[in-house]
């Protein structure tokens, strides 16, 4: 018994060390992303501004250019891909996507690749910390807010890296993601930290593995969708200012012209939220089934249950408005951010400030 306890304590220390090591690596990734944006600003990336401020010339150039250009190379025909323009809602702007944080420069791209590599290393260290925590407590590693937080940030980074592997245009998210992950881990290790311990009897169920794991996945993906909505609002304001003939500052121009177009960000946020919404529905159903097993009732208007349902309704309204009322753009982005704010409140606010059956696990 003493040997097992000593082994569990050693695993707990290993978990803590791996989490701190991941924070150190994420910090290096943060600075690499900063360097990517700084060196990327030196390139001449004014395509968006040119297309918006001189639509006549852009239209003429588009009409003159063939859809697919064919050029000879040692007797072999090579097809050049045409420039992709993401179309937004009817009557709104059609703007090409920016070249990304690196701005099309070799040096900026180098720092971007370093940042992604460091983010991958940080993810592996954090995942190791989560696994070591699970081994130290001999259960699923999300029985309290500390464990939930370190797992949540790990899943969020994992989802981002998966999108990169799938060749999605999301490297612009790297700086924002690493910054918030460092904030999440900082709060987890200082405010929310809880020593390894066993669960109360009501939590000892296989539904802990099913219900809470899906909640973590949903939160991580909803976070990425919310990040896309935030970036959309900034980019849309930038494009609208150019359309009105305004002249954004050099810093705003350097940053905003490298993001995907507002239409692309709007669609990205919508597709991410729509993809994970069914899983959030399952999460609530699984929680109700677990409540029936643990407490003898499926629904009791506990604060956690109420706010989980409020979050579901908010996302359902967002998706319904997009599909039926044609809510695209800023109104949809505000509604998506409101829904994610409900999810955040359900995690931090309900767990810390409100009392209910879900508060027995403590922080």
């Amino acid at each position: 018994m003493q040997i097992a306890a000593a082994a569990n304590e050693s695993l707990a220390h290993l978990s803590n060390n791996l989490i701190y090591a991941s924070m150190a690596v994420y910090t290096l990734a943060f600075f690499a992303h900063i360097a990517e944006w700084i060196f990327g600003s030196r390139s001449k990336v004014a395509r968006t501004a040119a297309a918006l401020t001189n639509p006549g010339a852009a239209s003429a150039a588009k009409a003159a250019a063939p859809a697919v250009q064919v050029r000879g190379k040692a007797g072999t025909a090579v097809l050049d891909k045409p420039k992709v323009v993401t179309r937004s809602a009817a009557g709104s702007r059609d703007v090409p996507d920016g070249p990304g944080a690196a701005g099309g420069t070799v040096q900026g791209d180098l720092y971007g690749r370093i940042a992604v590599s460091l983010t991958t290393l940080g993810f592996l260290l954090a995942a190791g910390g989560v696994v070591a925590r699970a081994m130290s407590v001999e259960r699923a590693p999300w029985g309290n807010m500390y464990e939930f937080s370190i797992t949540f940030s790990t899943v969020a980074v994992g989802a981002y890296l998966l999108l990169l592997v799938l060749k999605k245009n999301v490297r612009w998210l790297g700086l924002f993601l690493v910054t918030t992950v460092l904030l999440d881990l900082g709060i987890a290790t200082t405010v929310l930290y809880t020593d390894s311990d066993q669960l109360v009897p009501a939590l000892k169920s296989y539904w802990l593995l099913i219900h809470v794991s899906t909640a973590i996945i949903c939160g991580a993906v909803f976070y990425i969708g919310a990040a896309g909505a935030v970036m959309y609002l900034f980019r849309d304001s930038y494009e609208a200012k150019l359309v009105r003939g305004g002249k954004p500052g050099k810093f705003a121009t350097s940053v905003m012209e490298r993001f995907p177009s507002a239409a692309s960000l709007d669609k990205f946020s919508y597709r991410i939220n729509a993809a994970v919404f069914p899983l959030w529905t399952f999460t609530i159903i699984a929680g109700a089934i677990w409540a029936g097993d643990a407490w003898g009732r499926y629904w009791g208007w506990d604060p956690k249950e109420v706010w989980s349902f409020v979050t579901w309704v908010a996302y359902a309204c967002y998706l319904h408005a997009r599909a039926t009322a044609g809510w695209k753009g800023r109104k949809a982005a505000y509604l998506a951010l409101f829904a994610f704010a409900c999810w955040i409140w359900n995690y931090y606010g309900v767990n810390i400030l409100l009392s209910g059956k879900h508060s027995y696990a403590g922080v």
Side-chain angles (χ1 to χ4, degrees):
M1 183 68 69
Q2 292 180 347
I3 296 176
N8 290 341
E9 185 177 355
S10 297
L11 287 169
H13 284 304
L14 175 62
S15 173
N16 296 339
N17 291 336
L18 287 172
I19 294 298
Y20 282 118
S22 71
M23 293 175 66
V25 175
Y26 282 140
T27 302
L28 295 177
F30 169 81
F31 287 113
H33 276 299
I34 291 289
E36 178 186 17
W37 281 96
I38 291 175
F39 287 100
S41 68
R42 296 178 180 177
S43 64
K44 297 179 180 179
V45 284
R47 291 179 299 174
T48 302
L52 287 172
T53 56
N54 192 5
S59 300
K62 185 186 298 183
V68 178
Q69 298 177 352
V70 182
R71 54 187 173 87
K73 184 176 182 181
T76 302
V78 180
L79 299 181
D80 288 338
K81 292 182 180 180
K83 180 184 295 185
V84 177
V85 177
T86 302
R87 295 191 175 277
S88 54
S92 59
R93 303 178 295 272
D94 289 336
V95 180
D97 290 343
T105 63
V106 174
Q107 193 170 15
D109 184 65
L110 174 62
Y111 282 107
R113 292 177 182 275
I114 292 174
V116 171
S117 299
L118 289 170
T119 302
T120 303
L121 177 58
F123 164 76
L124 294 175
L125 290 170
V130 172
V131 172
R133 178 77 176 196
M135 295 174 65
S136 71
V137 293
E138 300 178 347
R139 56 169 171 79
W142 39 76
N144 51 61
M145 289 186 68
Y146 168 72
E147 295 172 356
F148 191 101
S149 293
I150 62 175
T151 307
F152 168 81
S153 61
T154 302
V155 173
V157 175
Y160 164 72
L161 295 175
L162 177 62
L163 290 173
L164 287 178
V165 170
L166 296 175
K167 307 298 183 182
K168 302 300 181 181
N169 179 21
V170 294
R171 208 163 86 181
W172 51 268
L173 181 60
L175 179 59
F176 188 88
L177 173 74
V178 170
T179 303
T180 50
V181 164
L182 280 171
L183 178 63
D184 174 73
L185 291 177
I187 294 174
T189 55
T190 56
V191 179
L192 303 179
Y193 181 77
T194 303
D195 289 329
S196 298
D197 199 0
Q198 294 303 310
L199 300 175
V200 296
L203 281 179
K204 293 180 179 180
S205 169
Y206 60 88
W207 284 107
L208 173 69
L209 182 63
I210 299 172
H211 171 63
V212 183
S213 64
T214 55
I216 292 172
I217 294 172
C218 290
V221 179
F222 279 147
Y223 159 80
I224 292 178
V230 170
M231 298 307 169
Y232 160 79
L233 291 173
F234 284 108
R235 172 75 188 206
D236 182 66
S237 296
Y238 171 76
E239 292 181 9
K241 188 171 185 178
L242 290 177
V243 168
R244 294 193 303 266
K247 294 183 178 181
K250 291 183 178 180
F251 177 79
T253 300
S254 174
V255 172
M256 288 295 110
E257 69 188 4
R258 285 180 276 165
F259 274 108
S261 68
S264 293
L265 291 169
D266 182 42
K267 290 181 179 180
F268 170 79
S269 179
Y270 168 67
R271 289 169 180 171
I272 288 290
N273 289 325
V276 77
F277 180 74
L279 187 59
W280 181 246
T281 304
F282 170 78
T283 300
I284 296 177
I285 294 173
I289 296 173
W290 187 11
D293 290 344
W295 303 317
R297 53 58 167 183
Y298 295 103
W299 194 267
W301 299 104
D302 183 79
K304 177 70 71 173
E305 297 169 348
V306 170
W307 278 98
S308 295
F309 180 68
V310 169
T311 303
W312 184 91
V313 170
Y315 275 109
C317 289
Y318 164 74
L319 297 176
H320 180 74
R322 291 276 314 216
T324 61
W327 269 32
K328 295 178 176 64
R330 301 188 73 85
K331 291 188 294 184
Y334 289 135
L335 187 52
L337 291 177
F338 171 76
F340 184 67
C342 291
W343 191 93
I344 290 294
W345 167 256
N346 188 33
Y347 175 52
Y348 285 104
V350 172
N351 283 7
I352 296 176
L353 300 178
L354 302 180
S355 60
K357 286 185 174 295
H358 286 77
S359 62
Y360 49 68
V363 298

